[in-house]
Amino acid sequence: MDDRERVLVDVWDWPTRVLHWLNAIIIIALIALILGAEWMEELGVARELRRPVKEAHACLGHLFMVTLTLRIIWGFIGNKYARFSDIVPLKGWQWQAIGHNMKWYLSGFKGSAAKAIGHDPLAAIFYTLLFIVLISQALTGMLLSGAEFNTFPGTLFTGGMSEEALEGLEEALEGPHEAGFLFIIFFIAAHLIGLIAHELKEKTGLLTSMVNGKKCLRREDADR
C-alpha cells in the first residue's frame, strides 16, 4: 500500500490537542516535583527546605484541576473523536477491536492492528481508567493540600478540623494518592510503548496527529 493510497484525515480538534499537551506537561512536572521532595527526604534534607517543593506540587495540582475539568467538559462537547463516546469502550465493534489488538500485541505485532480513526479501542480501556484515576488524584490532592498547607478549595472541607483529624485524613488519603501516582507511571510507560508500536507498524502519524490534528490513513480506513 503506497503513500498515494493514503489520505490525511482531520481527527483531533485544537482544544483536544492543547489540553492533551497541557495536561501531559503538568503531570510530568507534578511527578518530578513529588519525586524531588521524596528524594530530598531520603537524603535527609530539612523539612523546611522540602516544604516549598511540596507546596509547588500542590499549587501546580490546583492548575491541573482546572485543565482536567476543561478536558472532561470537552469530552462531552468536542468533536466526535474527542468525546467520551469514542473513549469509553461500550460498543460491540470496540470490544471486537480490543480482542484483535490484544492478539496483535501478543503475536509480536504480526499482521495489522484493528482500524480506528479516533482512539484505539484497547488503549481506550486505559484512557478510561486514567480519567478515573486523574479525578481521584485531583480530589485527594486537593484535600491533602487543604490539610497540610491550608489552601483553598481544600479548606472548604478541612477548615475547622482538629490537628488529630487532619493527621488522620492525611494518612487515609496518602495511600490512594500514591497508588494513583503508580498507575500514572504505568500508564505513561504503556502509552509510550503503544505509541512506538503503532508508529512503526501502522505509520498513521499518531504522534504528529497530536500536533497538527491529522492522521495519515489508508483511503478505505478513512472512508469507514
Side-chain angles (χ1 to χ4, degrees):
M1 189 74 64
D2 60 44
D3 291 340
R4 288 175 299 176
E5 295 175 287
R6 288 179 175 266
V7 293
L8 288 175
V9 179
D10 288 315
V11 179
W12 312 120
D13 53 26
W14 72 264
T16 299
R17 303 196 308 271
V18 170
L19 289 169
H20 172 87
W21 289 112
L22 271 177
N23 283 325
I25 292 168
I26 292 172
I27 287 171
I28 291 170
L30 286 167
I31 290 171
L33 285 168
I34 200 61
L35 286 178
E38 290 180 358
W39 287 337
M40 290 171 73
E41 185 176 3
E42 289 292 326
L43 293 170
V45 177
R47 183 183 180 88
E48 58 269 20
L49 295 178
R50 302 197 311 267
R51 183 181 175 89
V53 179
K54 294 188 70 175
E55 285 182 331
H57 175 85
C59 288
L60 194 57
H62 285 82
L63 175 60
F64 177 67
M65 288 176 62
V66 175
T67 58
L68 176 61
T69 299
L70 291 174
R71 180 60 184 93
I72 291 171
I73 292 171
W74 200 249
F76 293 100
I77 64 175
N79 77 359
K80 63 180 180 179
Y81 303 116
R83 298 190 179 193
F84 288 115
S85 58
D86 189 67
I87 299 174
V88 181
L90 296 176
K91 304 179 184 70
W93 72 265
Q94 289 174 307
W95 284 102
Q96 290 177 359
I98 288 169
H100 179 94
N101 281 0
M102 287 181 67
K103 293 177 182 177
W104 183 65
Y105 277 101
L106 293 172
S107 70
F109 312 117
K110 293 179 181 178
S112 298
K115 308 307 177 188
I117 296 177
H119 291 88
D120 173 81
L122 179 57
I125 294 176
F126 295 99
Y127 292 136
T128 302
L129 291 173
L130 180 67
F131 271 102
I132 294 170
V133 170
L134 291 178
I135 291 169
S136 172
Q137 291 297 95
L139 293 175
T140 55
M142 175 191 69
L143 292 172
L144 285 167
S145 178
E148 187 171 357
F149 304 119
N150 199 35
T151 54
F152 181 86
T155 48
L156 292 175
F157 304 92
T158 61
M161 293 177 67
S162 67
E163 282 294 324
E164 185 179 351
L166 288 173
E167 288 179 6
L169 179 64
E170 287 185 54
E171 289 180 5
L173 295 178
E174 281 175 356
H177 202 68
E178 289 178 5
F181 167 80
L182 293 175
F183 175 83
I184 291 169
I185 296 293
F186 162 77
F187 175 85
I188 291 173
H191 185 57
L192 291 175
I193 292 170
L195 176 64
I196 292 169
H198 281 275
E199 282 288 328
L200 293 177
K201 293 291 291 183
E202 301 301 301
K203 297 180 174 61
T204 59
L206 185 58
L207 178 59
T208 56
S209 72
M210 266 300 166
V211 177
N212 59 24
K214 301 177 185 294
K215 281 188 177 181
C216 182
L217 302 174
R218 292 182 176 91
R219 186 175 297 279
E220 62 267 30
D221 296 331
D223 293 337
R224 288 178 56 201

